[in-house]
């Protein structure tokens, strides 16, 4: 319980003691103990202010809203390190978060307490970031910073989120540029020029929309009668002998989750041809299609090691920019799959599920502009619905 009193009437050490005036005008004090046991005695000019503060303390304790100031005295540097270690995230995401904290956030705000970081601090930080990083990167990393402060609020280390409603730089649209999508002729040319062992990778991406990390983790148990069951992706460290986990769960999915993708007949034939010519290699207890056959080439290919073969194929095919750089990336083959499906009327929610996007919003943002225009169809539908029986204009 909080006690409201005047020091001038009860504390012999007070310079105004003993004060015998009923309305002396001296300060009023609220004495209370924090959850940690420390005693606090803030003073107020008026009795009504002191009583209001005491009442709020009582209410907050009843509602479980009381914040122990000491819990917020931990530095952002220390708290961020503890927070990061508790996050259930992939290795690559952990590295991204750790480098952002170390290079950007902590040098600027790490010395402040978690409760002491204010809105002005965050605004200045975002402004500084905008001069170093792309707008899309700033927006993405600030989601992590918001998550950090939201956790601090839940742990009652601070009362509010200093990142709330902070204006972020406007990021460019995520919509895929049609110049990033290869034509069918170019897809076939890539498959022809790439190392024969990797020919199937081109068609697994272009014909089933697999990510390159999912493609390289392709195993015989992925093949079903008329669909592919995509279960895993290859680790970024899978090429190293000391890698303990060569395969990881799918992006945005938990261990054991999978997605099914339609299997066109031509792709089933390509898989059969690959198995006849190259067979499989047993890795981590699974029959893998793309493990290296040569000694000294690593245990498994990764997106980075595969990129060499892909760039080499594009240069051999003449699919390069004026400066000689490759015209496409492996991800362009996923773009081919999505754009082809949408152009032929496949519902975007189906395409989103087959691509393995976390949200259909991602699919709409990236590929929505590629859906064939339906102006004439819409005019006909609305005319028939609102003026049935009337002649069409």
């Amino acid at each position: 319980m909080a006690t409201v009193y005047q020091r001038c009437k009860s504390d012999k050490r007070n310079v105004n003691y003993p004060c015998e005036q009923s309305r002396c005008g001296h300060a009023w004090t609220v004495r209370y103990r924090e959850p940690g046991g420390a005693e606090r005695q803030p003073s107020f000019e008026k009795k009504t202010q002191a009583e209001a503060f005491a009442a709020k303390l009582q209410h907050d304790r009843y509602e479980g809203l009381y914040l122990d100031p000491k819990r917020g005295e931990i530095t952002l540097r220390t708290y961020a390190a503890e927070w990061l270690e508790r996050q259930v995230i992939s290795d690559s995401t952990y590295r991204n978060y750790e480098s952002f904290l170390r290079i950007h956030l902590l040098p600027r705000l790490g010395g402040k307490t978690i409760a002491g970081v204010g809105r002005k601090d965050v605004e200045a930080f975002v402004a500084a970031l905008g001069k170093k990083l792309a707008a899309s990167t700033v927006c993405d990393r600030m989601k992590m910073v918001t998550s950090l402060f939201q956790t601090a609020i839940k742990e009652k280390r601070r009362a509010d989120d200093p990142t709330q409603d902070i204006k972020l730089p406007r990021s460019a649209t995520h919509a895929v540029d049609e110049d990033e999508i290869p034509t069918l002729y170019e897809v076939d040319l890539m498959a022809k020029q790439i190392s024969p062992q990797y020919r199937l990778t081109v068609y697994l991406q272009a014909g089933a929309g697999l990510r390159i990390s999912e493609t390289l983790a392709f195993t015989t148990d992925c093949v079903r009668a008329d669909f592919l069951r995509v279960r895993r992706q290859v680790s970024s460290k899978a090429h190293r002998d000391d890698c303990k986990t060569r395969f990881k769960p799918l992006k945005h999915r938990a261990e054991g989750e999978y997605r099914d993708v339609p299997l066109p007949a031509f792709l089933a034939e390509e898989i059969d041809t690959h198995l006849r010519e190259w067979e499989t290699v047993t890795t981590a207890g699974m029959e893998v299609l793309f493990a290296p056959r040569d000694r000294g080439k690593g245990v498994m290919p990764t997106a980075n090691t595969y990129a060499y073969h892909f760039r080499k194929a594009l240069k051999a095919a003449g699919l390069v920019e004026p400066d000689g750089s490759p015209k496409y990336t492996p991800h362009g083959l996923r773009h081919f799959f999505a754009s082809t499906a949408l152009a032929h009327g496949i519902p975007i929610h189906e395409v989103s599920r087959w691509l393995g996007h976390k949200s259909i919003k991602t699919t709409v943002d990236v590929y929505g502009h590629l859906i064939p225009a339906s102006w004439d169809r819409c005019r006909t539908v609305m005319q028939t619905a609102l003026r049935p029986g009337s002649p069409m204009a």
Side-chain angles (χ1 to χ4, degrees), residues 131-176:
K131 299 176 182 178
K132 299 178 181 179
L133 304 176
S136 59
T137 303
V138 174
C139 294
D140 180 68
R141 294 298 182 266
M142 285 306 296
K143 293 178 183 177
M144 182 265 287
V145 178
T146 295
S147 178
L148 185 152
F149 281 108
Q150 288 288 341
T151 303
I153 293 171
K154 293 176 182 177
E155 295 176 350
K156 292 184 169 46
R157 294 187 181 274
R158 62 176 296 135
D160 61 345
D161 178 5
T163 69
Q164 186 174 4
D165 298 328
I166 291 290
K167 186 175 181 180
L168 300 176
R170 184 184 297 274
S171 59
T173 176
H174 294 294
V176 63

Side-chain angles (χ1 to χ4, degrees), residues 256-317:
E257 291 187 320
Y258 59 85
R259 73 176 190 273
D260 294 336
V261 184
L263 174 61
F266 92 91
L267 185 53
E269 293 173 2
E270 288 285 347
I271 294 173
D272 288 341
T273 299
H274 179 94
L275 290 172
R276 285 196 303 271
E277 294 183 3
W278 296 95
E279 298 182 339
T280 61
V281 174
T282 303
T283 301
M286 290 177 284
E287 298 301 311
V288 181
L289 274 66
F290 300 113
R293 271 63 173 179
D294 300 328
R295 295 177 63 85
K297 295 294 185 179
V299 179
M300 280 291 296
T302 66
N304 286 335
T305 61
Y306 172 84
Y308 164 79
H309 298 279
F310 191 81
R311 289 194 298 267
K312 183 178 178 181
L314 263 63
K315 291 181 178 180

Side-chain angles (χ1 to χ4, degrees), residues 183-230:
T183 64
L184 173 59
Y185 170 77
E186 291 173 324
V187 170
D188 287 334
L189 196 55
M190 292 180 208
K192 181 179 180 181
Q193 293 296 334
I194 202 166
S195 175
Q197 181 189 342
Y198 287 123
R199 170 187 167 89
L200 178 59
T201 64
V202 174
Y203 290 119
L204 283 173
Q205 292 178 87
L210 272 62
R211 299 179 176 90
I212 185 56
S213 58
E214 297 166 347
T215 299
L216 297 175
F218 198 82
T219 54
T220 52
D221 67 332
C222 294
V223 184
R224 303 304 168 95
D226 56 358
F227 64 92
L228 299 178
R229 176 154 290 177
V230 188

